[in-house]
Amino acid sequence: MTPGQPPRAETLADVAAANLDDWRARGLWRSPSVFATAQRAEASLRDGAHRTDAVLFSSSNYLGFAEDPRLAEAAIAAIRTFGAGSGGSRLTTGTNELHLAVEAACARLTGYDDAVLFATGYQANVSTLQALAAACASAGGLTIVSDARNHASIIDGCRLAKASGAEVRVTPHRDVGAVARALSQRTTAHALVVTDGLFSMDGVCAPLPALLEVCREHGAWSMLDDAHAIGTIGATGRGLPEYFGVRPDIQLMTASKALGAEGAAVATNAPVAQLLRQQARSFVFSTSPAPATCAAITAAVEVLESDPRPVQRLHANIARWYANRGEGAIDPAGAGPIIPVHVGEEDAAMRASAQLLERGFIVPAIRWPTVARGQAILRVTLMATHTPAQIDALCAELAALGIEGYMSA
C-alpha cells in the first residue's frame, strides 16, 4: 500500500466469504433438513429431486398438535375473518380480540393473573430481562443469576440487561449452592434467578423447588423458561410448576413446541405484565403475531385443557423409551421427551446420524458450539404420535451402532 493512500476496501461479500470459508474449515457448517411433509412421526425429507421417507425423532412437535385438525381449522377461520396479517405492533393497530383471547388462555393454563404474548420465545426472554433491568436501574439495581446452560435467548437477554445496568452472574449448571452464594454476594437491591425448565440439550429439569427456596431466603425473584416443559412435564402438561407444586414469579411458555404453533407468552402477575406491555421492546416495536397464529395457540391450549390423551400418549412413549434402556420404572411426567444419546467425538456423532437416516430414522447430531467439544450427542425427541414399534426400532438401531445402554424391547 502506498503511503498516504487509503487501504483497498474489501467488499462485504469478500468479508462474508472469508468468514464462511473459515467456518466451514472448523467443521461448523450446518445444512438444515428440508421437510416435504408436516412434522409428523412418519416424515419426508427433500434434497432436490430426491425424497427420503423416515421416522422423525428430532421435532419439538411433542404432542402432534402441529398437524392437529382442530388447530388448522381455527387458524383457517381466523384468516377468513381477520386476514393474513395483524397490521402493526400491539400498541398501534396490531391488537385484535384474538390476541386478548390467547393471553387469557395462557394465563388460565398456567394459573397466573395475566400473560403477555410475544412473537417468539426468543423475543420474550430477551425483552423481559431487559425490561426488568431497566425498571430496576433507578430503584437500587438488579442482579440476574443465570444457569450456565440456559438457552441463547436468556444469554442474550442477560447481555441486554447488563447494558441497562444490571449485574449478571452465571452459575454452574443446576448448582443451587452456587446460586445461593451469588445472591448472598450481590450489591444490588434486587435480584432475579432465571433458568430453563427442561434443558433443551441434556434433557434434565431445573431443581425448581430448591431454587425457589433459595430465592425466598435471599429476597430474590424467579423466572422460569418452561419452553420445552409446557405440554410435556406434569400430569396434565402444565410444566414444572405443576410437576413440583411450586410457582415462580414468571413462567414463560412457548407455543412453538408442544402446542404446535409459534410464539410465546410470559405469564406473571398483573403489574409485571403491564410493565412488559409498556416497556418490553420487542412487544412495543414488533408487528404482532398473525391472526392465524393467535387462533391456533388458543385452540392448542383448549385441546390441552380438555383432552388428556395426547399428554398421556407422550408419557407412555417416554416410559417405553426408558424401559428399552433397562432403567425400570420412571415417572414419565417428570422425565421429559428430550433424550441425549451421548456419542463423544463430533465425527462419530455425524456418522451415526447419517447411518440412522440410511436406516430410516431422522435423528440429528448436536456438536460444538451447541455442546462442549468432544461431547457430541444424538438428540432424540419423542412425540405422542410415535408408535411403540417405532420407539423399539430406534433403540434397536442405536444398539446395532454400538451405542452403550440401548437394546430392543
Side-chain angles (χ1 to χ4, degrees):
M1 183 177 65
T2 304
Q5 288 186 334
R8 183 185 69 83
E10 289 184 286
T11 68
L12 179 58
D14 291 338
V15 173
N19 180 281
L20 290 174
D21 287 343
D22 177 67
W23 190 259
R24 187 181 283 105
R26 290 191 286 150
L28 298 178
W29 191 271
R30 270 102 168 137
S31 297
S33 299
V34 178
F35 283 84
T37 59
Q39 297 275 302
R40 55 180 181 246
E42 294 181 359
S44 295
L45 299 178
R46 184 177 297 282
D47 183 5
H50 180 68
R51 180 165 169 154
T52 301
D53 298 327
V55 182
L56 177 61
F57 278 99
S58 64
S59 178
S60 296
N61 182 27
Y62 300 123
L63 298 178
F65 281 6
E67 67 272 17
D68 191 301
R70 292 168 287 191
L71 275 66
E73 289 164 6
I76 291 168
I79 289 175
R80 287 176 176 153
T81 301
F82 292 96
S86 65
S89 65
R90 287 289 299 275
L91 298 185
T92 57
T93 60
T95 295
N96 65 45
E97 59 192 41
L98 298 183
H99 293 95
L100 304 184
V102 171
E103 293 177 332
C106 292
R108 184 180 69 242
L109 179 72
T110 54
Y112 285 84
D113 297 337
D114 201 352
V116 183
L117 178 66
F118 289 83
T120 67
Y122 204 103
Q123 286 189 5
N125 272 330
V126 166
S127 285
T128 298
L129 291 168
Q130 190 274 333
L132 293 177
C136 291
S138 60
L142 177 68
T143 295
I144 299 176
V145 181
S146 177
D147 189 286
R149 294 191 186 175
N150 276 342
H151 189 263
S153 57
I154 295 178
I155 295 171
D156 288 353
C158 287
R159 289 169 176 162
L160 282 177
K162 193 171 183 179
S164 295
E167 295 182 9
V168 176
R169 300 195 179 190
V170 178
T171 53
H173 185 41
R174 302 176 75 244
D175 189 334
V176 178
V179 172
R181 288 190 294 275
L183 291 174
S184 67
Q185 295 166 2
R186 77 178 195 261
T187 59
T188 59
H190 308 292
L192 173 73
V193 175
V194 58
T195 182
D196 279 14
L198 177 61
F199 286 86
S200 61
M201 288 299 126
D202 58 16
V204 300
C205 291
L208 188 60
L211 286 174
L212 295 191
E213 180 60 31
V214 166
C215 287
R216 282 190 290 270
E217 291 173 355
H218 294 274
W221 307 320
S222 52
M223 177 175 168
L224 176 71
D225 178 356
D226 231 16
H228 289 275
I230 288 292
T232 69
I233 298 291
T236 65
R238 284 166 167 81
L240 263 67
E242 178 187 34
Y243 183 73
F244 287 118
V246 296
R247 184 184 298 271
D249 294 298
I250 298 170
Q251 181 185 7
L252 182 143
M253 55 172 285
T254 57
S256 56
K257 297 174 175 61
L259 297 188
E262 61 182 7
V266 176
T268 184
N269 59 62
V272 172
Q274 292 294 15
L275 175 72
L276 296 180
R277 290 189 179 99
Q278 294 296 317
Q279 299 178 24
R281 293 179 66 81
S282 64
F283 182 93
V284 175
F285 296 109
S286 289
T287 298
S288 62
T293 296
C294 296
I297 297 170
T298 300
V301 171
E302 292 172 349
V303 171
L304 186 62
E305 291 174 321
S306 63
D307 185 356
R309 292 171 297 175
V311 175
Q312 292 169 352
R313 286 194 295 266
L314 176 64
H315 288 173
N317 284 344
I318 293 169
R320 189 173 190 92
W321 180 276
Y322 283 100
N324 273 342
R325 287 174 51 172
E327 297 190 12
I330 58 131
D331 181 0
I338 300 170
I339 316 291
V341 179
H342 297 280
V343 178
E345 293 302 319
E346 284 76 9
D347 289 346
M350 294 296 290
R351 285 196 304 273
S353 178
Q355 289 171 324
L356 287 172
L357 184 58
E358 291 173 357
R359 300 176 190 188
F361 301 94
I362 303 170
V363 182
I366 307 297
R367 51 204 164 111
W368 188 87
T370 306
V371 295
R373 285 193 184 277
Q375 297 182 25
I377 62 172
L378 298 173
R379 183 176 180 270
V380 174
T381 55
L382 301 177
M383 297 189 292
T385 49
H386 285 129
T387 66
Q390 289 168 340
I391 293 170
D392 295 347
L394 177 57
C395 287
E397 291 296 344
L398 291 171
L401 290 175
I403 296 176
E404 185 178 354
Y406 289 88
M407 58 185 182
S408 59

